[in-house]
Amino acid sequence: MIVTSAVRHAAAGSAALLFVLPVPAAVASPAPTVSSVSSISSAVGEPTPPVRGHVDPARLDRSGVQVQPLAGAPRLPSASALSWVVADASTGEVLAARNAHRKLPPASTLKALFALTALPHHDASEQHTVADSELTGIGAGSSLVGIKEGYTYKVSDLWNGVFLSSGNDAVHVLAAMNGGWDSMARKMQEKARSLGANDTHVVSPDGYDAPGQVSSAYDLAVFGRAGLQDPAFVRYCSTRYADFPAGSWSYGIANTNRLLTGENGVDRYPGLIGIKNGYTSNAGNTLVSAAKRGDRTLVVSVMNPQEGGGYAVYEEARSLLDWGFEAAERVRPVGSLLPERPKAEADARAVAAGAEAGAAPAGETGTKDAPAKGTPSQGTPAQNAPARNAPASAPSAKEAPAQEASAQDPSAPGDPAQGAPARAARTGGDPGEAAAAAAPDASAGLPLGLIGAACAAALALWGWRRRSGAGDSGQE
């Protein structure tokens, strides 16, 4: 009877404890860790660059015309230029090319690279008084806009002189304002390499013929595409006419790009943005142009036509632009103007991404953004910061007040079952994670029920032994 009574007491105690304890959620799945949420958000929020699986970069290294027409593609026009490129300015895809990487003298088209390098460093309204030393060393026969020493010019006037009149005197003054002639040549070289233009070798920043100075149709297209990203560059290169100051008066200057102005018997090209033309006796005629039609912008570079006279460069650029707009959806690209990412950089990014998504070292029970209980608060920055992709409304671990943690988990302070859900609720994760953390822990209910049953059984056994002992020692 005594044993039966003890068992009944144990059962009653167990039932009472199990009644008040939270019911285990049998279908609840574990809440995602902060590291897994971060890695998923990172994969969604930071898309990888488009894979150019259909583009063979080496194809542009081949000599001759490179084009991959699809069904219905128009036929390429005949062009006598030694080198040319047609590319989509938005995607950088090269639609067709001839001898794209052939190294040739660029003439004044190199001024596009000069502008990319020097334009950002001076405000258009800044004024500069020209020193005599800044006009020394200009090559014989250079094109000039008419800058005079001792005169004061706005920077915008100097850039009009560069783009409209192809003025080498304006280039010399702007180069002096940016560290000097040799320094500017080095900076231009560095800029070209940063853009992936590896055919260009800069000797004279104004494009004047110099031993060893070369570029390519590919590189000129790269410079043209980069220039379209700068509103100031676009404004200057698309200006057809401007007034140039000369002390107390001014005179008009016209852009020498005939496709833009429609002068000397060359018809204007509809939608032409401009960019830069050039000529020297060594380079012949060179041109890099951009035009927009609808939602598409093309960049075309043409170097040294062999037929048709001095204006053939414009007509060949016109025919290539027309072809490019018609063929844009009907050819597979043969290359790209985007620089190839170095393998070392790609590997470094992969390692960094893996480190961000990695779990905590062995022996720690916390995640990267939620350290294990007992970890010092002054740990790594990742431990003290909110989750990388947490919503703005979610509090960080630092911001979560202690009373909020107590309200989310009513168990007694110091209870080991409190730590995991409380920490999960303070990690700053997404709302689904916070809700899962605030719910009762499925793994905690059953052990506590067993402990309650054991305690009840122990109490019943203790009472039975006490009563049994009292009966035996009655004659004490």
Side-chain angles (χ1 to χ4, degrees), residues 114-141:
F114 173 73
L116 290 174
T117 308
L119 252 177
H121 300 294
H122 294 276
D123 188 78
S125 61
E126 179 182 339
Q127 294 189 338
H128 176 76
T129 301
V130 177
D132 181 66
S133 60
E134 295 171 352
L135 298 176
T136 60
I138 298 176

PDB file of all heavy atoms in Angstrom, residues 114-141:
ATOM      1  N   PHE A 114      42.922  61.308 -71.404  1.00  0.00           N
ATOM      2  CA  PHE A 114      43.375  62.466 -70.633  1.00  0.00           C
ATOM      3  C   PHE A 114      42.216  63.042 -69.809  1.00  0.00           C
ATOM      4  O   PHE A 114      42.371  63.359 -68.621  1.00  0.00           O
ATOM      5  CB  PHE A 114      43.940  63.531 -71.580  1.00  0.00           C
ATOM      6  CG  PHE A 114      44.273  64.834 -70.908  1.00  0.00           C
ATOM      7  CD1 PHE A 114      45.384  64.946 -70.081  1.00  0.00           C
ATOM      8  CD2 PHE A 114      43.463  65.945 -71.078  1.00  0.00           C
ATOM      9  CE1 PHE A 114      45.686  66.151 -69.437  1.00  0.00           C
ATOM     10  CE2 PHE A 114      43.755  67.152 -70.448  1.00  0.00           C
ATOM     11  CZ  PHE A 114      44.869  67.248 -69.625  1.00  0.00           C
ATOM     12  N   ALA A 115      41.046  63.159 -70.438  1.00  0.00           N
ATOM     13  CA  ALA A 115      39.895  63.700 -69.724  1.00  0.00           C
ATOM     14  C   ALA A 115      39.450  62.772 -68.597  1.00  0.00           C
ATOM     15  O   ALA A 115      39.115  63.232 -67.498  1.00  0.00           O
ATOM     16  CB  ALA A 115      38.750  63.940 -70.703  1.00  0.00           C
ATOM     17  N   LEU A 116      39.427  61.465 -68.839  1.00  0.00           N
ATOM     18  CA  LEU A 116      39.051  60.526 -67.782  1.00  0.00           C
ATOM     19  C   LEU A 116      39.959  60.671 -66.565  1.00  0.00           C
ATOM     20  O   LEU A 116      39.528  60.506 -65.424  1.00  0.00           O
ATOM     21  CB  LEU A 116      39.130  59.092 -68.298  1.00  0.00           C
ATOM     22  CG  LEU A 116      38.085  58.651 -69.327  1.00  0.00           C
ATOM     23  CD1 LEU A 116      38.414  57.248 -69.826  1.00  0.00           C
ATOM     24  CD2 LEU A 116      36.691  58.683 -68.731  1.00  0.00           C
ATOM     25  N   THR A 117      41.218  60.997 -66.809  1.00  0.00           N
ATOM     26  CA  THR A 117      42.213  61.079 -65.738  1.00  0.00           C
ATOM     27  C   THR A 117      42.158  62.410 -65.000  1.00  0.00           C
ATOM     28  O   THR A 117      42.269  62.450 -63.767  1.00  0.00           O
ATOM     29  CB  THR A 117      43.622  60.866 -66.316  1.00  0.00           C
ATOM     30  OG1 THR A 117      43.648  59.661 -67.097  1.00  0.00           O
ATOM     31  CG2 THR A 117      44.653  60.761 -65.212  1.00  0.00           C
ATOM     32  N   ALA A 118      41.978  63.521 -65.723  1.00  0.00           N
ATOM     33  CA  ALA A 118      42.125  64.848 -65.117  1.00  0.00           C
ATOM     34  C   ALA A 118      40.815  65.533 -64.755  1.00  0.00           C
ATOM     35  O   ALA A 118      40.789  66.393 -63.869  1.00  0.00           O
ATOM     36  CB  ALA A 118      42.917  65.754 -66.067  1.00  0.00           C
ATOM     37  N   LEU A 119      39.714  65.171 -65.426  1.00  0.00           N
ATOM     38  CA  LEU A 119      38.450  65.888 -65.208  1.00  0.00           C
ATOM     39  C   LEU A 119      37.996  65.942 -63.750  1.00  0.00           C
ATOM     40  O   LEU A 119      37.521  66.989 -63.290  1.00  0.00           O
ATOM     41  CB  LEU A 119      37.349  65.248 -66.055  1.00  0.00           C
ATOM     42  CG  LEU A 119      36.846  66.020 -67.270  1.00  0.00           C
ATOM     43  CD1 LEU A 119      35.812  65.202 -68.032  1.00  0.00           C
ATOM     44  CD2 LEU A 119      36.261  67.363 -66.863  1.00  0.00           C
ATOM     45  N   PRO A 120      38.108  64.860 -62.982  1.00  0.00           N
ATOM     46  CA  PRO A 120      37.529  64.878 -61.634  1.00  0.00           C
ATOM     47  C   PRO A 120      38.227  65.806 -60.639  1.00  0.00           C
ATOM     48  O   PRO A 120      37.706  66.016 -59.542  1.00  0.00           O
ATOM     49  CB  PRO A 120      37.663  63.415 -61.178  1.00  0.00           C
ATOM     50  CG  PRO A 120      37.861  62.614 -62.428  1.00  0.00           C
ATOM     51  CD  PRO A 120      38.603  63.518 -63.340  1.00  0.00           C
ATOM     52  N   HIS A 121      39.375  66.365 -60.990  1.00  0.00           N
ATOM     53  CA  HIS A 121      40.200  67.021 -59.976  1.00  0.00           C
ATOM     54  C   HIS A 121      40.015  68.535 -59.885  1.00  0.00           C
ATOM     55  O   HIS A 121      40.616  69.169 -59.009  1.00  0.00           O
ATOM     56  CB  HIS A 121      41.677  66.701 -60.230  1.00  0.00           C
ATOM     57  CG  HIS A 121      41.973  65.231 -60.172  1.00  0.00           C
ATOM     58  ND1 HIS A 121      41.862  64.497 -59.019  1.00  0.00           N
ATOM     59  CD2 HIS A 121      42.348  64.352 -61.139  1.00  0.00           C
ATOM     60  CE1 HIS A 121      42.171  63.237 -59.259  1.00  0.00           C
ATOM     61  NE2 HIS A 121      42.460  63.115 -60.538  1.00  0.00           N
ATOM     62  N   HIS A 122      39.228  69.131 -60.772  1.00  0.00           N
ATOM     63  CA  HIS A 122      39.024  70.586 -60.714  1.00  0.00           C
ATOM     64  C   HIS A 122      37.581  70.907 -61.056  1.00  0.00           C
ATOM     65  O   HIS A 122      37.028  70.369 -62.019  1.00  0.00           O
ATOM     66  CB  HIS A 122      39.968  71.309 -61.687  1.00  0.00           C
ATOM     67  CG  HIS A 122      41.416  71.189 -61.324  1.00  0.00           C
ATOM     68  ND1 HIS A 122      42.041  72.011 -60.413  1.00  0.00           N
ATOM     69  CD2 HIS A 122      42.366  70.314 -61.747  1.00  0.00           C
ATOM     70  CE1 HIS A 122      43.306  71.652 -60.289  1.00  0.00           C
ATOM     71  NE2 HIS A 122      43.529  70.623 -61.086  1.00  0.00           N
ATOM     72  N   ASP A 123      36.987  71.805 -60.286  1.00  0.00           N
ATOM     73  CA  ASP A 123      35.624  72.231 -60.541  1.00  0.00           C
ATOM     74  C   ASP A 123      35.571  73.079 -61.806  1.00  0.00           C
ATOM     75  O   ASP A 123      36.516  73.828 -62.120  1.00  0.00           O
ATOM     76  CB  ASP A 123      35.104  73.036 -59.352  1.00  0.00           C
ATOM     77  CG  ASP A 123      33.635  73.348 -59.468  1.00  0.00           C
ATOM     78  OD1 ASP A 123      32.818  72.449 -59.192  1.00  0.00           O
ATOM     79  OD2 ASP A 123      33.307  74.493 -59.873  1.00  0.00           O
ATOM     80  N   ALA A 124      34.460  72.975 -62.533  1.00  0.00           N
ATOM     81  CA  ALA A 124      34.337  73.683 -63.814  1.00  0.00           C
ATOM     82  C   ALA A 124      34.447  75.195 -63.653  1.00  0.00           C
ATOM     83  O   ALA A 124      34.933  75.894 -64.562  1.00  0.00           O
ATOM     84  CB  ALA A 124      33.012  73.325 -64.470  1.00  0.00           C
ATOM     85  N   SER A 125      34.019  75.736 -62.521  1.00  0.00           N
ATOM     86  CA  SER A 125      34.036  77.190 -62.325  1.00  0.00           C
ATOM     87  C   SER A 125      35.376  77.709 -61.801  1.00  0.00           C
ATOM     88  O   SER A 125      35.561  78.935 -61.706  1.00  0.00           O
ATOM     89  CB  SER A 125      32.928  77.587 -61.357  1.00  0.00           C
ATOM     90  OG  SER A 125      33.116  76.965 -60.087  1.00  0.00           O
ATOM     91  N   GLU A 126      36.287  76.818 -61.466  1.00  0.00           N
ATOM     92  CA  GLU A 126      37.604  77.244 -60.960  1.00  0.00           C
ATOM     93  C   GLU A 126      38.337  78.049 -62.032  1.00  0.00           C
ATOM     94  O   GLU A 126      38.288  77.725 -63.225  1.00  0.00           O
ATOM     95  CB  GLU A 126      38.417  76.017 -60.567  1.00  0.00           C
ATOM     96  CG  GLU A 126      39.811  76.318 -60.044  1.00  0.00           C
ATOM     97  CD  GLU A 126      40.595  75.058 -59.715  1.00  0.00           C
ATOM     98  OE1 GLU A 126      39.961  74.003 -59.511  1.00  0.00           O
ATOM     99  OE2 GLU A 126      41.843  75.118 -59.676  1.00  0.00           O
ATOM    100  N   GLN A 127      39.046  79.094 -61.602  1.00  0.00           N
ATOM    101  CA  GLN A 127      39.773  79.952 -62.543  1.00  0.00           C
ATOM    102  C   GLN A 127      41.276  79.741 -62.404  1.00  0.00           C
ATOM    103  O   GLN A 127      41.782  79.463 -61.313  1.00  0.00           O
ATOM    104  CB  GLN A 127      39.421  81.425 -62.311  1.00  0.00           C
ATOM    105  CG  GLN A 127      37.964  81.748 -62.626  1.00  0.00           C
ATOM    106  CD  GLN A 127      37.678  83.235 -62.615  1.00  0.00           C
ATOM    107  OE1 GLN A 127      38.409  84.022 -61.997  1.00  0.00           O
ATOM    108  NE2 GLN A 127      36.612  83.648 -63.292  1.00  0.00           N
ATOM    109  N   HIS A 128      41.963  79.881 -63.534  1.00  0.00           N
ATOM    110  CA  HIS A 128      43.408  79.645 -63.551  1.00  0.00           C
ATOM    111  C   HIS A 128      44.065  80.661 -64.488  1.00  0.00           C
ATOM    112  O   HIS A 128      43.630  80.847 -65.631  1.00  0.00           O
ATOM    113  CB  HIS A 128      43.709  78.237 -64.027  1.00  0.00           C
ATOM    114  CG  HIS A 128      45.166  77.943 -64.159  1.00  0.00           C
ATOM    115  ND1 HIS A 128      45.986  77.697 -63.077  1.00  0.00           N
ATOM    116  CD2 HIS A 128      45.970  77.863 -65.262  1.00  0.00           C
ATOM    117  CE1 HIS A 128      47.206  77.464 -63.486  1.00  0.00           C
ATOM    118  NE2 HIS A 128      47.236  77.563 -64.818  1.00  0.00           N
ATOM    119  N   THR A 129      45.127  81.292 -63.976  1.00  0.00           N
ATOM    120  CA  THR A 129      45.909  82.220 -64.789  1.00  0.00           C
ATOM    121  C   THR A 129      47.102  81.476 -65.382  1.00  0.00           C
ATOM    122  O   THR A 129      47.878  80.850 -64.656  1.00  0.00           O
ATOM    123  CB  THR A 129      46.390  83.410 -63.945  1.00  0.00           C
ATOM    124  OG1 THR A 129      45.255  84.090 -63.393  1.00  0.00           O
ATOM    125  CG2 THR A 129      47.194  84.379 -64.796  1.00  0.00           C
ATOM    126  N   VAL A 130      47.240  81.540 -66.669  1.00  0.00           N
ATOM    127  CA  VAL A 130      48.221  80.731 -67.392  1.00  0.00           C
ATOM    128  C   VAL A 130      49.611  81.342 -67.290  1.00  0.00           C
ATOM    129  O   VAL A 130      49.811  82.550 -67.532  1.00  0.00           O
ATOM    130  CB  VAL A 130      47.815  80.585 -68.874  1.00  0.00           C
ATOM    131  CG1 VAL A 130      48.877  79.799 -69.649  1.00  0.00           C
ATOM    132  CG2 VAL A 130      46.458  79.897 -68.982  1.00  0.00           C
ATOM    133  N   ALA A 131      50.569  80.513 -66.922  1.00  0.00           N
ATOM    134  CA  ALA A 131      51.974  80.923 -66.881  1.00  0.00           C
ATOM    135  C   ALA A 131      52.648  80.564 -68.208  1.00  0.00           C
ATOM    136  O   ALA A 131      52.238  79.606 -68.892  1.00  0.00           O
ATOM    137  CB  ALA A 131      52.696  80.240 -65.725  1.00  0.00           C
ATOM    138  N   ASP A 132      53.668  81.296 -68.545  1.00  0.00           N
ATOM    139  CA  ASP A 132      54.372  81.059 -69.811  1.00  0.00           C
ATOM    140  C   ASP A 132      54.959  79.647 -69.867  1.00  0.00           C
ATOM    141  O   ASP A 132      54.969  79.001 -70.926  1.00  0.00           O
ATOM    142  CB  ASP A 132      55.487  82.100 -69.980  1.00  0.00           C
ATOM    143  CG  ASP A 132      56.232  81.917 -71.277  1.00  0.00           C
ATOM    144  OD1 ASP A 132      55.624  82.116 -72.346  1.00  0.00           O
ATOM    145  OD2 ASP A 132      57.420  81.536 -71.230  1.00  0.00           O
ATOM    146  N   SER A 133      55.442  79.153 -68.707  1.00  0.00           N
ATOM    147  CA  SER A 133      56.056  77.822 -68.671  1.00  0.00           C
ATOM    148  C   SER A 133      55.065  76.721 -69.017  1.00  0.00           C
ATOM    149  O   SER A 133      55.455  75.634 -69.452  1.00  0.00           O
ATOM    150  CB  SER A 133      56.656  77.562 -67.291  1.00  0.00           C
ATOM    151  OG  SER A 133      55.654  77.628 -66.279  1.00  0.00           O
ATOM    152  N   GLU A 134      53.777  76.993 -68.837  1.00  0.00           N
ATOM    153  CA  GLU A 134      52.764  75.967 -69.092  1.00  0.00           C
ATOM    154  C   GLU A 134      52.506  75.770 -70.584  1.00  0.00           C
ATOM    155  O   GLU A 134      51.850  74.803 -70.979  1.00  0.00           O
ATOM    156  CB  GLU A 134      51.455  76.338 -68.378  1.00  0.00           C
ATOM    157  CG  GLU A 134      51.597  76.348 -66.869  1.00  0.00           C
ATOM    158  CD  GLU A 134      50.375  76.913 -66.164  1.00  0.00           C
ATOM    159  OE1 GLU A 134      49.466  77.441 -66.847  1.00  0.00           O
ATOM    160  OE2 GLU A 134      50.327  76.829 -64.922  1.00  0.00           O
ATOM    161  N   LEU A 135      53.009  76.671 -71.399  1.00  0.00           N
ATOM    162  CA  LEU A 135      52.789  76.573 -72.838  1.00  0.00           C
ATOM    163  C   LEU A 135      54.055  76.178 -73.589  1.00  0.00           C
ATOM    164  O   LEU A 135      54.074  76.216 -74.831  1.00  0.00           O
ATOM    165  CB  LEU A 135      52.257  77.915 -73.387  1.00  0.00           C
ATOM    166  CG  LEU A 135      50.901  78.359 -72.812  1.00  0.00           C
ATOM    167  CD1 LEU A 135      50.526  79.740 -73.350  1.00  0.00           C
ATOM    168  CD2 LEU A 135      49.826  77.349 -73.165  1.00  0.00           C
ATOM    169  N   THR A 136      55.065  75.763 -72.869  1.00  0.00           N
ATOM    170  CA  THR A 136      56.296  75.316 -73.535  1.00  0.00           C
ATOM    171  C   THR A 136      56.188  73.835 -73.892  1.00  0.00           C
ATOM    172  O   THR A 136      55.474  73.073 -73.239  1.00  0.00           O
ATOM    173  CB  THR A 136      57.513  75.529 -72.622  1.00  0.00           C
ATOM    174  OG1 THR A 136      57.334  74.772 -71.413  1.00  0.00           O
ATOM    175  CG2 THR A 136      57.687  77.008 -72.277  1.00  0.00           C
ATOM    176  N   GLY A 137      56.904  73.443 -74.941  1.00  0.00           N
ATOM    177  CA  GLY A 137      56.958  72.035 -75.323  1.00  0.00           C
ATOM    178  C   GLY A 137      55.802  71.577 -76.182  1.00  0.00           C
ATOM    179  O   GLY A 137      55.641  70.362 -76.407  1.00  0.00           O
ATOM    180  N   ILE A 138      54.956  72.483 -76.683  1.00  0.00           N
ATOM    181  CA  ILE A 138      53.858  72.081 -77.564  1.00  0.00           C
ATOM    182  C   ILE A 138      54.424  71.720 -78.927  1.00  0.00           C
ATOM    183  O   ILE A 138      55.220  72.469 -79.505  1.00  0.00           O
ATOM    184  CB  ILE A 138      52.823  73.219 -77.687  1.00  0.00           C
ATOM    185  CG1 ILE A 138      52.220  73.530 -76.314  1.00  0.00           C
ATOM    186  CG2 ILE A 138      51.729  72.852 -78.675  1.00  0.00           C
ATOM    187  CD1 ILE A 138      51.265  74.716 -76.317  1.00  0.00           C
ATOM    188  N   GLY A 139      54.026  70.563 -79.443  1.00  0.00           N
ATOM    189  CA  GLY A 139      54.591  70.068 -80.693  1.00  0.00           C
ATOM    190  C   GLY A 139      54.270  70.948 -81.887  1.00  0.00           C
ATOM    191  O   GLY A 139      53.204  71.575 -81.951  1.00  0.00           O
ATOM    192  N   ALA A 140      55.207  70.984 -82.816  1.00  0.00           N
ATOM    193  CA  ALA A 140      55.020  71.769 -84.041  1.00  0.00           C
ATOM    194  C   ALA A 140      53.812  71.238 -84.818  1.00  0.00           C
ATOM    195  O   ALA A 140      53.634  70.034 -84.962  1.00  0.00           O
ATOM    196  CB  ALA A 140      56.276  71.692 -84.903  1.00  0.00           C
ATOM    197  N   GLY A 141      53.010  72.178 -85.324  1.00  0.00           N
ATOM    198  CA  GLY A 141      51.837  71.793 -86.098  1.00  0.00           C
ATOM    199  C   GLY A 141      50.656  71.330 -85.265  1.00  0.00           C
ATOM    200  O   GLY A 141      49.663  70.835 -85.813  1.00  0.00           O
TER     201      GLY A 141
END
